[in-house]
Amino acid sequence: VQILLKLWRNGFSLDDGELRSYSDPTNAQFLESVKRGEIPMEIQRLVHGAQVNLDMEDHQEQEYVKPRLRFKAFSGEGQKLGSLTPEIVSTPSSPEEEDKSILNAPVLIDDSKPATKVQIRLADGSRLIQRFNHTHRIKDIRDFIIQSRPAFATTDFVLVTTFPNKELTDETLTLQEADILNTVILQQLK
């Protein structure tokens, strides 16, 4: 631990802290320990047995001037929020909502081929969860949205991936080629 002791005309300071008067008995005891080459008890309690490097600066010709606060960048630790790839929330708002979307817009699934679930967050705030084969195309997702919510048939919209946001412009790509297996797709109105 690095500590800077500055001696002033009217007292001393530690690491640009407050002025501590020479006349205070606790401070006098602190300085006596330093003069004897010992680590003062106050510092020993702070560092919990770590190695201490005590530097001293002599400013005894000057009066103590409170140092200006320097900008200190954030020194805490960051916390990761969410994940790089969003997870599919497999619980629909209600079982009826998921059943309704499947009944209204059947997507033919070939059970002999690999399948995936895609969650679609619609511009109106609702969401759809649907199983697709890896070989289904992005156009199939668009058709599924229009079949499930006919109001979007006359609306111009785009499909976008979540983080990092990428507009799915080539609707001939398969879900696997577009790398959107088990993901969340957003519908954005133009």
Side-chain angles (χ1 to χ4, degrees), residues 37-131:
E38 300 171 357
I39 304 291
M41 284 302 294
E42 175 185 331
I43 293 178
Q44 287 179 18
R45 283 191 297 268
L46 289 175
V47 298
H48 304 293
Q51 184 176 349
V52 176
N53 186 11
L54 183 65
D55 290 331
M56 292 178 60
E57 288 183 6
D58 186 10
H59 299 278
Q60 291 182 339
E61 294 82 38
Q62 304 170 10
E63 290 289 324
Y64 170 79
V65 178
K66 187 173 182 173
R68 289 194 322 235
L69 292 176
R70 282 187 252 154
F71 173 75
K72 185 177 180 182
F74 175 72
S75 60
E77 62 181 54
Q79 297 295 322
K80 180 179 170 184
L81 300 175
S83 64
L84 295 177
T85 9
E87 295 177 18
I88 299 251
V89 180
S90 59
T91 346
S93 303
S94 67
E96 297 81 26
E97 183 181 322
E98 185 171 0
D99 291 343
K100 182 177 76 173
S101 68
I102 291 172
L103 292 174
N104 288 348
V107 173
L108 299 176
I109 304 293
D110 184 347
D111 289 327
S112 66
K113 294 182 180 176
T116 182
K117 271 192 177 181
V118 176
Q119 183 182 126
I120 306 155
R121 293 191 185 155
L122 301 175
D124 64 5
S126 64
R127 67 185 173 125
L128 302 169
I129 299 173
Q130 179 61 46
R131 279 186 63 218

Side-chain angles (χ1 to χ4, degrees), residues 15-16 27 30 33 39-40 74 76 79 91 112 119 125 146 157 164 167 175 190:
D15 290 331
D16 290 331
N27 295 339
F30 181 94
S33 297
I39 304 291
F74 175 72
Q79 297 295 322
T91 346
S112 66
Q119 183 182 126
I146 292 170
F157 65 87
E167 189 175 326
L175 303 187
K190 279 190 169 182

